[in-house]
Amino acid sequence: MTRPPTHAGRRRAIATLAALPALATAPGTRAQAFPARPVKIVVPHAAGGNSDAFARIVAQRLSERLGQSVVVENRTGAGGTIACASVARSPADGYTVVVADNGTHAVAPQLYGSRLQYDVFKDFTPVSLAATFPTVLLLHPSVPASTPREFVALVKSQPGKLTYSSAGTGNGSHLAQTIFLHAAGGLDMIHVPYKGGAPAIQALIAGEVQMTAVSVNTSLPHIRSGRAKPLALASSKRSPALPELATLGESGIAGAEADNWLAVLAPPNLPADVAATLTREFNATLTLPDVRERLAGLGLEVVAAGPQPYLDLLKVDVAKWTEAVKRSGAVAE
């Protein structure tokens, strides 16, 4: 017959239990080191663009570093703001991040106004200021100008007659050209918006417009084929992809920079240790030689900076692009 434990026995049992490691209060709730399951990178634009290519190149090597699958999901619509809004509302656990850009975070506040469903400063945890890429101003080969100053003189001699195309009103290509026209002295050209970058550049190649603006990697095949003529980089520095092409600033047109960037952002209130892990692993992946080389092939220059450089840049860019949107008169549909 089993005898009930004595008072001394019960005290010893309680002491033994107290010395054991703390257990979760319910099955499956014990904390696990991050990451314990796949990480999702949300791309707010269609497959094939800079954001998408960036995410897929990074995901492969990031997965190896994390020891977990890293999946890429495209969520398109409203200039990328639908995807960003969804990530801002996602759980703050580090398993969902978004590839944001100056369009979704510097242009959108003014373009969408009160309809924008997130605050670009408050509703995200910065992970990495990942990469930058320049904008190239292209001319049709028939345009009798080879330098920015020659082109400015040409436009001034024919106010309101020359045309430029963009991927849509309020799109980055439209605003980059708006910034250039303003910085060059308020040039008077006619804007012809298209539904996407491909028809905008086709309009230039066909001679329907005289100028357009595209990312450097998009410009390369058209420059090499002679179907388009590079005018200048609308960026703060030269691009390794087109090292011989001067910036507008170097050509004497100050204040015409329209640098593009990509950043990795997570939902707000991310635990500090999870945020630090994401920053460390994303930036380490970005600086791997093969990743850097593959991104350079797309015209993307790796930055791999942390949260504070991103926030510093965002403050400057929100002000700059807000003014560009106001000048352009663009309003999101």
Side-chain angles (χ1 to χ4, degrees):
M1 178 176 178
T2 303
R3 300 177 63 185
T6 63
H7 288 296
R10 284 197 294 269
R11 285 196 298 270
R12 284 194 297 272
I14 292 170
T16 300
L17 288 171
L20 294 173
L23 298 176
T25 58
T29 61
R30 184 167 64 85
Q32 292 179 297
F34 175 84
R37 54 187 172 86
V39 173
K40 181 189 298 180
I41 301 177
V42 176
V43 174
H45 305 294
N50 281 326
S51 299
D52 180 70
F54 165 85
R56 294 182 189 281
I57 289 170
V58 170
Q60 180 181 350
R61 296 304 302 275
L62 179 63
S63 176
E64 296 169 5
R65 290 190 60 87
L66 294 178
Q68 294 287 345
S69 297
V70 178
V71 297
V72 177
E73 179 181 302
N74 297 83
R75 296 183 197 169
T76 61
T81 62
I82 289 175
C84 290
S86 71
V87 172
R89 296 190 295 265
S90 296
D93 54 15
Y95 290 101
T96 303
V97 298
V98 65
V99 181
D101 53 51
N102 43 296
T104 63
H105 277 65
V107 174
Q110 176 63 31
L111 190 63
Y112 289 88
S114 61
R115 289 181 291 159
L116 189 64
Q117 298 179 22
Y118 53 86
D119 184 296
V120 297
F121 292 102
K122 297 178 181 178
D123 290 342
F124 299 89
T125 299
V127 171
S128 172
L129 176 56
T132 60
F133 58 98
T135 296
V136 182
L137 294 178
L138 295 177
L139 302 180
H140 186 267
S142 66
V143 175
S146 299
T147 68
R149 288 197 173 278
E150 289 176 357
F151 185 69
V152 169
L154 177 66
V155 176
K156 286 183 175 179
S157 71
Q158 303 177 54
K161 292 186 178 180
L162 300 182
T163 58
Y164 67 98
S165 66
S166 79
T169 301
N171 181 274
S173 60
H174 174 209
L175 299 178
Q177 292 175 98
T178 297
I179 291 173
F180 162 58
L181 297 177
H182 174 77
L187 301 182
D188 184 6
M189 293 184 68
I190 297 172
H191 175 220
V192 184
Y194 288 82
K195 293 183 178 180
I201 198 165
Q202 286 302 319
L204 178 84
I205 292 170
E208 296 170 7
V209 297
Q210 283 73 53
M211 181 176 73
T212 196
V214 297
S215 61
V216 64
N217 61 308
T218 301
S219 74
L220 291 175
H222 305 295
I223 293 171
R224 289 167 180 161
S225 68
R227 294 179 296 177
K229 178 167 60 175
L231 180 65
L233 289 170
S235 303
S236 56
K237 60 181 181 179
R238 294 197 183 198
S239 169
L242 284 171
E244 73 286 351
L245 186 61
T247 68
L248 287 169
E250 290 176 315
S251 304
I253 302 174
E257 296 82 7
D259 296 289
N260 302 289
W261 48 260
L262 299 177
V264 179
L265 309 179
N269 304 315
L270 198 64
D273 60 331
V274 174
T277 297
L278 283 174
T279 295
R280 181 182 68 246
E281 297 303 327
F282 263 98
N283 286 349
T285 300
L286 286 167
T287 53
L288 291 171
D290 63 306
V291 172
R292 188 187 291 271
E293 182 179 356
R294 291 180 68 188
L295 293 176
L298 300 173
L300 299 177
E301 188 171 354
V302 169
V303 178
Q308 195 56 52
Y310 164 75
L311 291 172
D312 292 342
L313 174 62
L314 184 60
K315 290 176 184 176
V316 173
D317 263 20
V318 166
K320 177 178 74 177
W321 291 100
T322 291
E323 285 304 310
V325 174
K326 288 179 178 177
R327 268 190 233 108
S328 72
V331 177
E333 296 179 356

